Amino acid sequence: MTFTLTAHDKETKARAGTLTTDHGVIQTPIFMPVGTAGTVKAVHQREIKEDIQAQIILGNTYHLYLRPGLNTLEQAGGLHKFNGWDKPILTDSGGYQVYSLSGTRKIVEEGVKFKSHIDGSTHFFSPENVMDIQRTIGADIIMAFDECTPYPCEYNYARKSMDMTHRWLQRCCERFDATEGKYGYEQNLFPIVQGSTYKDLRQKSAETIASFNRAGNAIGGLSVGEPAEMMYEMTELVCDILPADKPRYLMGVGTPANILENIALGVDMFDCVLPTRNARNGMLFTTQGIINIRNEKWKNDFSPIDETLGGYASTFYTKAYLRHLVHSGEMLGAQISSVHNLTFYLWLVKQAREQILAGTFRAWKNKMVKDLMVRL
């Protein structure tokens, strides 16, 4: 995998780059649609590729490990062959899902014992077997196994958790380097910075993660309930430490405004369930602002969902028709809304890249942050 920086914005820390993997090229900054269980919910692969124009999608180790299971994925030839997606895939390590299972898991130095949310069966994740699991899933980018701390989090807990994450990273690297991929293409390991919202811990973690000299680096443990300004403060601190010649991935972020502000701080890669989750609840992100399609005001609005955005779903269907589908509980409503919101997110990062290349990012970003978060 190679990462080449194409341009730096002169007024912010934003940058445009090119990330090249064996499954294709990714233009950064980039947003990765979340395909938790081997699919982006309610969206066909053809739509992800041709309409949404995603360049990389995300899969989830915890969910794929439980269902369909590693035997099925290995027999299929990996997740790419299983779901028909021929571009890059990133898998998260399952650390966040295990964090979410706070009532049914036990964290020890060796790893995490947890119960399946599906059938209550008991399982164990260690740094070593999480590397093996992700190798079998077949992602181009594999995440290190970490503990994601909650917010708020006591200092001592955050420090101990961070230190354990660093010890786990050493074990991840040793296992990763001692094994090979199963499907004939290169896989790459990204460590994850932790440290909650404490500056000294974030600094120490970023320095430690950078010292492992892997292909890219991730920032975890943010967007878990902390104020946005605190997220930005931690992100800026970490981005100033992580090596500039490697991609920086901010995990689980976020709103359009969050993405633009973090691009300005030097982040290259994002993922979030927000566009698809909100879509299924009738909230649409548009080039004019935010629409709650359930509202009465859209009942007889026969204009396209977002003519400025372009794309089939956004320009073919009207607001009135989409409102009708959503109110009727029709599955097509969730499908149209999901394709639209993801098209918007990919449009947004593409526009950001173009503005960085043109040297006009800062003024554009400041205007867009205000415009895109207006409730219509």
Side-chain angles (χ1 to χ4, degrees):
M1 191 179 83
T2 61
F3 181 61
T4 305
L5 283 170
T6 310
H8 291 81
D9 180 57
K10 293 180 180 179
E11 297 181 311
T12 70
K13 297 172 183 176
R15 66 242 203 106
T18 302
L19 184 61
T20 305
T21 75
D22 284 354
H23 276 106
V25 175
I26 302 159
Q27 303 288 346
T28 64
I30 193 64
F31 179 82
M32 301 180 282
V34 177
T36 302
T39 173
V40 177
K41 287 188 190 301
V43 185
H44 291 288
Q45 312 297 18
R46 184 197 61 77
E47 293 170 321
I48 301 171
K49 188 174 182 179
E50 297 179 14
D51 299 342
I52 295 163
Q53 297 183 3
Q55 299 173 45
I56 175 173
I57 61 172
L58 184 145
N60 182 264
T61 293
Y62 166 84
H63 288 281
L64 292 167
Y65 161 79
L66 290 176
R67 193 166 53 191
L70 300 183
N71 287 339
T72 298
L73 288 167
E74 189 161 18
Q75 286 183 49
L79 184 57
H80 289 92
K81 295 284 181 65
F82 186 59
N83 71 1
W85 177 255
D86 61 1
K87 288 178 177 287
I89 294 176
L90 179 148
T91 44
D92 66 9
S93 69
Y96 181 80
Q97 279 63 41
V98 170
Y99 146 78
S100 302
L101 297 168
S102 56
T104 59
R105 52 99 166 127
K106 182 178 181 181
I107 302 173
V108 294
E109 184 66 32
E110 280 306 304
V112 181
K113 185 178 181 181
F114 63 93
K115 290 186 176 180
S116 163
H117 72 287
I118 299 168
D119 60 10
S121 56
T122 300
H123 303 269
F124 187 77
F125 273 0
S126 69
E128 291 81 7
N129 74 7
V130 165
M131 294 298 96
D132 297 345
I133 291 166
Q134 290 185 83
R135 287 282 202 193
T136 298
I137 292 171
D140 299 86
I141 298 173
I142 286 172
M143 303 309 299
F145 191 51
D146 65 330
E147 183 191 1
C148 177
T149 51
Y151 178 84
C153 180
E154 291 183 356
Y155 181 87
N156 284 337
Y157 186 93
R159 179 180 55 80
K160 290 177 181 177
S161 173
M162 177 198 71
D163 287 340
M164 184 173 67
T165 288
H166 294 164
R167 292 192 297 274
W168 283 0
L169 174 59
Q170 180 66 47
R171 290 165 58 190
C172 284
C173 289
E174 289 172 0
R175 183 57 157 246
F176 182 84
D177 292 343
T179 57
E180 293 183 358
K182 301 185 177 188
Y183 311 114
Y185 52 84
E186 184 190 35
Q187 296 175 307
N188 301 274
L189 175 63
F190 281 24
I192 304 171
V193 176
Q194 289 291 348
S196 187
T197 53
Y198 300 101
K199 289 183 179 179
D200 61 324
L201 298 184
R202 284 284 172 181
Q203 179 176 343
K204 180 182 178 183
S205 189
E207 290 170 349
T208 301
I209 263 60
S211 73
F212 279 81
N213 194 31
R214 309 311 293 199
N217 298 291
I219 305 166
L222 296 176
S223 194
V224 291
E226 78 284 354
E229 291 308 318
M230 194 171 281
M231 179 213 304
Y232 301 146
E233 184 182 8
M234 294 300 110
T235 300
E236 183 170 27
L237 173 68
V238 169
C239 283
D240 286 347
I241 296 169
L242 293 177
D245 62 344
K246 295 180 180 180
R248 303 170 184 147
Y249 163 34
L250 181 57
M251 307 179 76
V253 176
T255 67
N258 291 157
I259 287 175
L260 293 180
E261 295 293 2
N262 282 297
I263 288 173
L265 299 174
V267 174
D268 307 297
M269 303 169 69
F270 301 87
D271 81 284
C272 192
V273 297
L274 198 66
T276 45
R277 179 179 290 167
N278 283 18
R280 296 193 300 276
N281 292 316
M283 179 183 282
L284 307 179
F285 297 101
T286 78
T287 56
Q288 312 302 312
I290 297 172
I291 289 175
N292 182 349
I293 202 66
R294 294 179 177 273
N295 288 350
E296 184 78 13
K297 68 186 291 184
W298 311 114
K299 184 176 182 179
N300 295 314
D301 187 328
F302 303 107
S303 63
I305 297 167
D306 191 346
E307 200 161 24
T308 303
L309 181 61
Y312 176 75
S314 309
T315 58
F316 182 82
Y317 297 105
T318 67
K319 298 181 183 77
Y321 180 62
L322 180 56
R323 180 182 183 275
H324 158 71
L325 293 175
V326 171
H327 268 275
S328 301
E330 287 290 342
M331 287 186 288
L332 183 59
Q335 291 177 273
I336 294 169
S337 300
S338 297
V339 172
H340 164 79
N341 273 358
L342 288 173
T343 300
F344 170 83
Y345 265 64
L346 269 296
W347 169 86
L348 183 65
V349 292
K350 185 178 180 181
Q351 289 293 308
R353 177 183 171 84
E354 290 176 1
Q355 296 293 331
I356 294 166
L357 293 173
T360 52
F361 174 77
R362 184 178 181 179
W364 173 84
K365 184 268 293 182
N366 290 341
K367 180 179 184 300
M368 292 295 279
V369 165
K370 293 178 182 177
D371 292 350
L372 297 179
M373 301 311 288
V374 171
R375 299 271 177 163
L376 299 177

